[in-house]
């Protein structure tokens, strides 16, 4: 394979429970989903490295072009790290 580089595209989607789902149309083998956002973000490069190393029968290292968490925060896909949702108050009436 030599010393080649190419760009991969991974899609991210917020889950209803606040977690994150990741997949790639280029690599259907890549499907990650978990309630732990940072766990998914950390697993993407490792999973792609395994998939591509197997596909090309060579050691492939995958690194993000930009800080993925920062991009997803900027786009509003995920809340900023350390974000605590606003509290909500409720009233209960006993009949």
């Amino acid at each position: 394979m030599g010393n080649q580089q190419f760009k991969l595209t991974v899609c991210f989607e917020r889950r209803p429970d606040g977690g994150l789902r990741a997949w790639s149309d280029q690599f259907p083998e890549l499907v990650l989903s978990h309630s732990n956002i940072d766990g998914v973000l950390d697993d993407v490069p490792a999973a792609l490295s395994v998939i591509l190393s197997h596909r090309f029968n060579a050691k492939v290292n995958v690194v993000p072009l930009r800080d993925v968490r920062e991009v997803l925060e900027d786009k509003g896909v995920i809340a900023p790290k350390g974000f605590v949702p606003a509290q909500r108050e409720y009233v209960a009436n006993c009949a």
Side-chain angles (χ1 to χ4, degrees), residues 17 21 34-35 50 52:
D17 67 357
R21 181 175 299 114
H34 199 279
S35 60
V50 169
L52 294 171

Side-chain angles (χ1 to χ4, degrees), residues 47-79:
L48 282 171
S49 290
V50 169
I51 291 166
L52 294 171
S53 293
H54 182 323
R55 184 176 284 189
F56 295 121
N57 197 28
K59 183 172 171 52
V60 178
N61 185 36
V62 176
V63 295
L65 289 174
R66 287 191 51 204
D67 182 327
V68 178
R69 176 174 257 291
E70 181 182 302
V71 172
L72 294 175
E73 288 175 1
D74 289 348
K75 299 285 185 189
V77 175
I78 61 173

